[in-house]
PDB file of all heavy atoms in Angstrom:
ATOM      1  N   PHE A  49     -11.247  -1.121   6.716  1.00  0.00           N
ATOM      2  CA  PHE A  49     -10.750  -0.161   7.618  1.00  0.00           C
ATOM      3  C   PHE A  49     -11.550   1.128   7.516  1.00  0.00           C
ATOM      4  O   PHE A  49     -11.075   2.299   7.479  1.00  0.00           O
ATOM      5  CB  PHE A  49      -9.277   0.183   7.128  1.00  0.00           C
ATOM      6  CG  PHE A  49      -8.260  -0.875   7.381  1.00  0.00           C
ATOM      7  CD1 PHE A  49      -7.885  -1.706   6.259  1.00  0.00           C
ATOM      8  CD2 PHE A  49      -7.949  -1.281   8.650  1.00  0.00           C
ATOM      9  CE1 PHE A  49      -6.975  -2.835   6.467  1.00  0.00           C
ATOM     10  CE2 PHE A  49      -6.931  -2.352   8.814  1.00  0.00           C
ATOM     11  CZ  PHE A  49      -6.604  -3.097   7.627  1.00  0.00           C
ATOM     12  N   ASP A  50     -12.942   0.931   7.466  1.00  0.00           N
ATOM     13  CA  ASP A  50     -13.798   2.028   7.378  1.00  0.00           C
ATOM     14  C   ASP A  50     -13.507   3.053   8.400  1.00  0.00           C
ATOM     15  O   ASP A  50     -13.255   2.662   9.692  1.00  0.00           O
ATOM     16  CB  ASP A  50     -15.273   1.452   7.612  1.00  0.00           C
ATOM     17  CG  ASP A  50     -16.326   2.469   7.191  1.00  0.00           C
ATOM     18  OD1 ASP A  50     -15.933   3.406   6.372  1.00  0.00           O
ATOM     19  OD2 ASP A  50     -17.442   2.171   7.479  1.00  0.00           O
ATOM     20  N   GLY A  51     -13.496   4.274   8.197  1.00  0.00           N
ATOM     21  CA  GLY A  51     -13.240   5.358   9.179  1.00  0.00           C
ATOM     22  C   GLY A  51     -11.686   5.670   9.314  1.00  0.00           C
ATOM     23  O   GLY A  51     -11.449   6.530  10.075  1.00  0.00           O
ATOM     24  N   SER A  52     -11.045   5.123   8.343  1.00  0.00           N
ATOM     25  CA  SER A  52      -9.424   5.520   8.290  1.00  0.00           C
ATOM     26  C   SER A  52      -9.255   6.245   7.000  1.00  0.00           C
ATOM     27  O   SER A  52      -9.900   6.077   5.974  1.00  0.00           O
ATOM     28  CB  SER A  52      -8.626   4.285   8.428  1.00  0.00           C
ATOM     29  OG  SER A  52      -8.776   3.667   9.614  1.00  0.00           O
ATOM     30  N   VAL A  53      -8.175   6.975   7.003  1.00  0.00           N
ATOM     31  CA  VAL A  53      -7.536   7.624   5.773  1.00  0.00           C
ATOM     32  C   VAL A  53      -6.100   6.926   5.549  1.00  0.00           C
ATOM     33  O   VAL A  53      -5.415   6.826   6.430  1.00  0.00           O
ATOM     34  CB  VAL A  53      -7.371   9.118   6.072  1.00  0.00           C
ATOM     35  CG1 VAL A  53      -6.751   9.642   4.742  1.00  0.00           C
ATOM     36  CG2 VAL A  53      -8.756   9.741   6.252  1.00  0.00           C
ATOM     37  N   THR A  54      -6.011   6.549   4.319  1.00  0.00           N
ATOM     38  CA  THR A  54      -4.744   5.987   3.854  1.00  0.00           C
ATOM     39  C   THR A  54      -3.939   6.985   3.012  1.00  0.00           C
ATOM     40  O   THR A  54      -4.578   7.503   2.108  1.00  0.00           O
ATOM     41  CB  THR A  54      -5.004   4.655   3.200  1.00  0.00           C
ATOM     42  OG1 THR A  54      -5.491   3.659   3.973  1.00  0.00           O
ATOM     43  CG2 THR A  54      -3.612   4.026   2.590  1.00  0.00           C
ATOM     44  N   THR A  55      -2.650   7.005   3.285  1.00  0.00           N
ATOM     45  CA  THR A  55      -1.789   8.005   2.492  1.00  0.00           C
ATOM     46  C   THR A  55      -0.658   7.174   2.044  1.00  0.00           C
ATOM     47  O   THR A  55       0.028   6.603   2.831  1.00  0.00           O
ATOM     48  CB  THR A  55      -1.389   9.197   3.271  1.00  0.00           C
ATOM     49  OG1 THR A  55      -2.409  10.011   3.814  1.00  0.00           O
ATOM     50  CG2 THR A  55      -0.518  10.080   2.438  1.00  0.00           C
ATOM     51  N   ILE A  56      -0.410   7.211   0.675  1.00  0.00           N
ATOM     52  CA  ILE A  56       0.642   6.364   0.150  1.00  0.00           C
ATOM     53  C   ILE A  56       1.609   7.405  -0.415  1.00  0.00           C
ATOM     54  O   ILE A  56       1.166   8.189  -1.314  1.00  0.00           O
ATOM     55  CB  ILE A  56       0.196   5.543  -1.025  1.00  0.00           C
ATOM     56  CG1 ILE A  56      -0.730   4.357  -0.399  1.00  0.00           C
ATOM     57  CG2 ILE A  56       1.426   4.787  -1.631  1.00  0.00           C
ATOM     58  CD1 ILE A  56      -1.410   3.586  -1.434  1.00  0.00           C
ATOM     59  N   THR A  57       2.863   7.477  -0.038  1.00  0.00           N
ATOM     60  CA  THR A  57       3.916   8.323  -0.495  1.00  0.00           C
ATOM     61  C   THR A  57       4.946   7.558  -1.233  1.00  0.00           C
ATOM     62  O   THR A  57       5.462   6.709  -0.616  1.00  0.00           O
ATOM     63  CB  THR A  57       4.523   9.114   0.652  1.00  0.00           C
ATOM     64  OG1 THR A  57       3.495   9.880   1.384  1.00  0.00           O
ATOM     65  CG2 THR A  57       5.552  10.214   0.136  1.00  0.00           C
ATOM     66  N   VAL A  58       5.192   7.913  -2.461  1.00  0.00           N
ATOM     67  CA  VAL A  58       6.189   7.043  -3.173  1.00  0.00           C
ATOM     68  C   VAL A  58       7.268   8.026  -3.835  1.00  0.00           C
ATOM     69  O   VAL A  58       7.036   9.026  -4.244  1.00  0.00           O
ATOM     70  CB  VAL A  58       5.425   6.425  -4.518  1.00  0.00           C
ATOM     71  CG1 VAL A  58       6.413   5.486  -5.247  1.00  0.00           C
ATOM     72  CG2 VAL A  58       4.216   5.754  -4.075  1.00  0.00           C
ATOM     73  N   SER A  59       8.460   7.576  -3.521  1.00  0.00           N
ATOM     74  CA  SER A  59       9.616   8.318  -3.993  1.00  0.00           C
ATOM     75  C   SER A  59      10.315   7.510  -5.131  1.00  0.00           C
ATOM     76  O   SER A  59      10.966   6.567  -4.940  1.00  0.00           O
ATOM     77  CB  SER A  59      10.609   8.588  -2.874  1.00  0.00           C
ATOM     78  OG  SER A  59      11.785   9.269  -3.296  1.00  0.00           O
ATOM     79  N   GLY A  60       9.999   7.896  -6.372  1.00  0.00           N
ATOM     80  CA  GLY A  60      10.533   7.118  -7.534  1.00  0.00           C
ATOM     81  C   GLY A  60      10.148   5.770  -7.539  1.00  0.00           C
ATOM     82  O   GLY A  60       8.937   5.342  -7.331  1.00  0.00           O
ATOM     83  N   ASN A  61      11.173   4.854  -7.856  1.00  0.00           N
ATOM     84  CA  ASN A  61      10.947   3.411  -7.829  1.00  0.00           C
ATOM     85  C   ASN A  61      11.781   2.757  -6.735  1.00  0.00           C
ATOM     86  O   ASN A  61      12.006   1.495  -6.679  1.00  0.00           O
ATOM     87  CB  ASN A  61      11.387   2.841  -9.211  1.00  0.00           C
ATOM     88  CG  ASN A  61      10.394   3.212 -10.360  1.00  0.00           C
ATOM     89  OD1 ASN A  61       9.212   3.168 -10.155  1.00  0.00           O
ATOM     90  ND2 ASN A  61      11.032   3.669 -11.389  1.00  0.00           N
ATOM     91  N   ASP A  62      12.164   3.647  -5.764  1.00  0.00           N
ATOM     92  CA  ASP A  62      13.015   3.119  -4.643  1.00  0.00           C
ATOM     93  C   ASP A  62      12.370   2.897  -3.332  1.00  0.00           C
ATOM     94  O   ASP A  62      12.610   1.906  -2.651  1.00  0.00           O
ATOM     95  CB  ASP A  62      14.184   4.043  -4.407  1.00  0.00           C
ATOM     96  CG  ASP A  62      15.057   4.250  -5.689  1.00  0.00           C
ATOM     97  OD1 ASP A  62      15.270   3.304  -6.409  1.00  0.00           O
ATOM     98  OD2 ASP A  62      15.407   5.364  -6.018  1.00  0.00           O
ATOM     99  N   SER A  63      11.464   3.727  -2.987  1.00  0.00           N
ATOM    100  CA  SER A  63      10.856   3.682  -1.626  1.00  0.00           C
ATOM    101  C   SER A  63       9.400   4.122  -1.634  1.00  0.00           C
ATOM    102  O   SER A  63       9.034   5.036  -2.491  1.00  0.00           O
ATOM    103  CB  SER A  63      11.685   4.382  -0.639  1.00  0.00           C
ATOM    104  OG  SER A  63      11.758   5.706  -0.801  1.00  0.00           O
TER     105      SER A  63
END
Side-chain angles (χ1 to χ4, degrees):
F49 297 103
D50 196 17
S52 295
V53 173
T54 296
T55 302
I56 300 173
T57 304
V58 187
S59 182
N61 291 312
D62 301 319
S63 64

